Amino acid sequence: LPLWERLKRRIIDGEKKGLEADLDEALAQRPALEIINDVLLDGMKTVGELFGSGEMQLPFVLQSAEVMKSAVAYLEPHMDRVDGGGKGRIVLATVKGDVHDIGKNLVDIILSNNGYEVVNLGIKQPVSAILEAAEDKKADVIGMSGLLVKSTVIMKENLEEMNSRGIAERFPVLLGGAALTRAYVEQDLADLFQGEVRYARDAFEGLRLMDAFMA
Ligand code: B1M
């Protein structure tokens, strides 16, 4: 197989052996971020489709996710970094009940590489932990990720909790993840939330919105 097809296949098949050699070859031709966005994420997309249609079983999805994570970890040091930092601080978490963290961690990498301080709390974070961290770390923004349909409801509840604690105006909120839609976030959730809430389709939009929040 040609290199790009082979790399995509590695994600789909969950095949780690020889991954680094392929990534080295890829890095000689294209920037790390492009490899992630155009090749590896394409593989994850196929994994999602195969899983959704019942053609792929969960343990294999997990293997694909592991290879994806290894690949991103290998590529990360090769990414462009804006020095300086100190543009702002975000507390980032996958919401309660949700274990998906590949997208969240990409958001972490993109924001960290572009001058933001990211406090990454990990997965399955209850709203209390997110809000505590936001207060403790003096976050400028709260970022929540979630891929399950259930997570979109949790996010709504989290915003309501911020309303009732009277802290909605202190922390702009950035939401992302496959089950969300722009309309749900920027119409439905924005209507009920007393602060500012925005939807990011991908990590780059997350960065643009962070820049906008901090402007
Ligand atoms: Co799960 N899973 N999974 N899974 N999984 C989905 C989400 C699913 C759509 C698959 C499907 O059915 N086709 C489906 C959800 C269905 C639904 O809710 N309606 C699903 C399911 C059902 C499940 C389980 C329930 C399966 C089971 O146990 N029977 C279970 C849930 C466990 C739980 O959470 N409690 C489960 C488990 C898993 C694995 C552990 C095997 C693994 C996750 C491993 C890991 O993350 N460490 C996994 C995977 C890999 C997937 C799919 C195939 C791929 C997700 C992924 O990593 N994509 C996924 C299919 C899909 O998404 N279509 C699926 C790549 C990643 C880069 O994209 O996270 O969307 P994403 O991030 C994007 C944007 O969304 C955005 O930026 C990123 C790109 O730049 N973004 C943000 C994300 N967060 C952001 C935050 C921001 C800004 C942007 O600011 C804060």
Side-chain angles (χ1 to χ4, degrees):
L1 286 178
L3 175 64
W4 309 113
E5 200 46 44
R6 203 161 70 230
L7 269 172
K8 185 181 162 188
R9 216 50 253 179
R10 285 190 180 288
I11 301 293
I12 300 168
D13 297 341
E15 175 61 65
K16 217 182 263 185
K17 208 163 143 268
L19 174 69
E20 294 187 356
D22 277 355
L23 289 174
D24 284 336
E25 202 181 325
L27 279 168
Q29 298 175 44
R30 291 174 77 179
L33 258 183
E34 266 185 43
I35 300 170
I36 294 179
N37 280 318
D38 299 349
V39 185
L40 305 180
L41 284 185
D42 201 28
M44 277 316 282
K45 191 164 162 257
T46 305
V47 170
E49 286 161 6
L50 291 172
F51 182 51
S53 66
E55 288 167 79
M56 190 169 183
Q57 299 303 312
L58 198 63
F60 297 98
V61 179
L62 194 56
Q63 271 181 34
S64 295
E66 290 302 324
V67 175
M68 180 71 199
K69 285 187 166 197
S70 303
V72 171
Y74 191 77
L75 293 172
E76 192 186 350
H78 297 275
M79 285 181 205
D80 294 335
R81 235 193 127 83
V82 176
D83 283 332
K87 271 164 75 181
R89 188 176 300 133
I90 180 169
V91 160
L92 189 63
T94 299
V95 299
K96 187 176 81 176
D98 196 323
V99 304
H100 298 90
D101 66 354
I102 295 175
K104 166 182 69 63
N105 292 341
L106 274 180
V107 172
D108 181 345
I109 289 172
I110 300 295
L111 293 180
S112 304
N113 284 349
N114 285 280
Y116 288 101
E117 189 187 325
V118 179
V119 181
N120 190 336
L121 300 180
I123 59 172
K124 297 206 269 186
Q125 291 297 309
V127 64
S128 55
I130 297 171
L131 298 182
E132 224 166 84
E135 301 270 6
D136 283 359
K137 307 286 180 188
K138 299 190 171 35
D140 298 300
V141 175
I142 290 176
M144 294 187 262
S145 177
L147 264 61
L148 302 172
V149 169
K150 201 176 66 186
S151 300
T152 65
V153 180
I154 303 279
M155 287 176 185
K156 175 169 176 276
E157 290 169 4
N158 291 356
L159 296 179
E160 283 166 343
E161 176 68 19
M162 289 177 72
N163 282 344
S164 66
R165 291 194 191 191
I167 56 170
E169 278 166 42
R170 282 187 29 220
F171 301 108
V173 176
L174 187 61
L175 299 180
L180 290 169
T181 63
R182 189 172 300 283
Y184 176 69
V185 175
E186 294 183 353
Q187 291 164 29
D188 302 5
L189 297 186
D191 266 357
L192 71 90
F193 189 50
Q194 288 159 5
E196 197 178 352
V197 60
R198 300 295 303 274
Y199 167 75
R201 187 173 49 86
D202 56 30
F204 299 101
E205 190 172 11
L207 173 61
R208 284 196 296 278
L209 288 170
M210 243 346 246
D211 288 342
F213 281 144
M214 299 309 300

